[in-house]
Amino acid sequence: MVGLTACGSEKSGDDKAGDKTGGDKSGQSAMSPLAALKLASQQTDKKNSAKVEGTTKMGEQNSQMSGDMDWADGIRANMSITQNGGAIASSPIAGKPMDAKYTPDAMFLNMGDEFAAQAGGGKHWVKYDYDVLAQKAGPSGAFLKDQMQNNNPSRSVELLLATGKVKSVGSEDVKGVKATHYTGTVKVSEIAKMQSKELSQSDLDALQKQLETSGMDTETIDLWVDEENLLVKKREQAQSSSGAYDSTVFYSDYGTSVTVTEPSSSDTVDFQDMLQQ
């Protein structure tokens, strides 16, 4: 799940310069970094959907994903996910592409034929209900629910805007597209407050303690914005007690049509039911 979510915030501060740019596509370089990113957030959010591909490394474990995503009304996505290393290395799913479906209420993961035969009771799909995770996993589960229901690419941009400390690195090529590179550093202790939309203060306080005990201090966020003021690449990096975290995501084909169909209930087992068994 963490590969699909992005750090973000609903508040971008008081950077008035961004309001003067309108729909101008004269180039990111003509604006201040804050003004340029504010425009990028607005333009990216309006598109409602995109194709997505990326990689995520957490310590010894890594994953690759690709698919399409729609954020017009909650998060809906179709993804193919491949995981390797760490605790996954000895798992039957290691190195095997798995289909994943995201809806505003749950994530569904196809674990394959071997899982269905051995542990799934003949069922291939595992359902992760966000409400159940929020209830059972405490603040971190509530945080995940908040992210999966409210997140979209523009919120990565909003997080950097909220810090007020962003710099332009210059123009770079991103898969054949000319883009302006921006970078900034965020204190991990502030991330939960910046990027959460509906968490209670008690959940935010508890989550902040969890983040602090993970050994993380800061997270570096790099964003690449094209000449149409759309986010085309995002990279997040941090160090924790369990190793390095490094996630890179590419966005393309904004406005693409996305249709997500939930797996049949006859071929789906609930994750919480599996734990109880």
Side-chain angles (χ1 to χ4, degrees):
M1 291 184 175
V2 73
L4 184 63
T5 63
C7 288
S9 170
E10 291 300 304
K11 298 180 180 180
S12 59
D14 296 319
D15 177 37
K16 301 300 183 183
D19 296 331
K20 299 177 183 178
T21 60
D24 181 25
K25 297 181 182 179
S26 59
Q28 294 273 317
S29 60
M31 295 178 258
S32 71
L34 288 177
L37 285 180
K38 186 169 185 179
L39 179 58
S41 174
Q42 295 168 347
Q43 294 299 101
T44 298
D45 187 55
K46 289 178 183 178
K47 291 297 183 179
N48 291 334
S49 64
K51 291 185 178 179
V52 182
E53 62 175 299
T55 59
T56 299
K57 296 181 180 180
M58 299 183 69
E60 297 299 319
Q61 187 170 322
N62 64 81
S63 64
Q64 297 82 42
M65 67 170 185
S66 63
D68 48 41
M69 174 182 177
D70 185 295
W71 55 90
D73 182 21
I75 301 298
R76 302 177 191 276
N78 299 297
M79 291 287 160
S80 175
I81 301 173
T82 304
Q83 301 181 79
N84 287 286
I88 297 293
S90 58
S91 168
I93 66 173
K96 297 179 180 179
M98 296 181 294
D99 289 332
K101 296 178 180 290
Y102 298 81
T103 73
D105 301 315
M107 171 190 174
F108 300 83
L109 188 62
N110 190 326
M111 302 291 285
D113 293 337
E114 187 173 349
F115 166 84
Q118 295 182 0
K123 299 179 179 181
H124 296 79
W125 293 86
V126 177
K127 178 181 179 180
Y128 299 84
D129 186 287
Y130 300 148
D131 283 334
V132 174
L133 288 174
Q135 295 170 4
K136 301 295 184 180
S140 59
F143 178 66
L144 179 60
K145 174 187 174 182
D146 176 84
Q147 289 295 285
M148 296 309 298
Q149 291 183 329
N150 301 303
N151 219 339
N152 65 62
S154 70
R155 292 184 73 185
S156 301
V157 184
E158 292 288 329
L159 179 57
L160 280 190
L161 283 170
T163 69
K165 298 179 180 179
V166 185
K167 67 178 181 180
S168 172
V169 180
S171 180
E172 299 177 14
D173 181 273
V174 178
K175 294 194 171 185
V177 175
K178 182 180 179 181
T180 303
H181 181 184
Y182 300 94
T183 188
T185 301
V186 184
K187 285 188 173 294
V188 172
S189 60
E190 294 297 319
I191 287 178
K193 292 180 181 179
M194 287 182 180
Q195 70 183 133
S196 300
K197 185 176 181 180
E198 299 177 354
L199 265 66
S200 67
Q201 187 59 50
S202 60
D203 278 343
L204 284 172
D205 292 341
L207 180 61
Q208 181 172 325
K209 290 181 180 178
Q210 288 183 352
L211 291 171
E212 290 172 348
T213 57
S214 72
M216 287 187 182
D217 180 35
T218 60
E219 177 174 289
T220 300
I221 301 176
D222 290 270
L223 305 176
W224 287 259
V225 179
D226 71 7
E227 293 180 321
E228 294 186 353
N229 303 303
L230 297 174
L231 181 66
V232 292
K233 180 181 177 182
K234 167 183 67 84
R235 186 180 185 187
E236 299 175 61
Q237 301 174 80
Q239 291 288 335
S240 74
S241 56
S242 58
Y245 169 73
D246 191 340
S247 174
T248 300
V249 182
F250 296 90
Y251 302 96
S252 64
D253 296 284
Y254 278 95
T256 189
S257 178
V258 180
T259 301
V260 178
T261 303
E262 289 190 13
S264 169
S265 58
S266 63
D267 196 26
T268 302
V269 58
D270 190 276
F271 176 69
Q272 194 61 33
D273 292 341
M274 286 179 56
L275 291 183
Q276 293 175 353
Q277 295 171 8

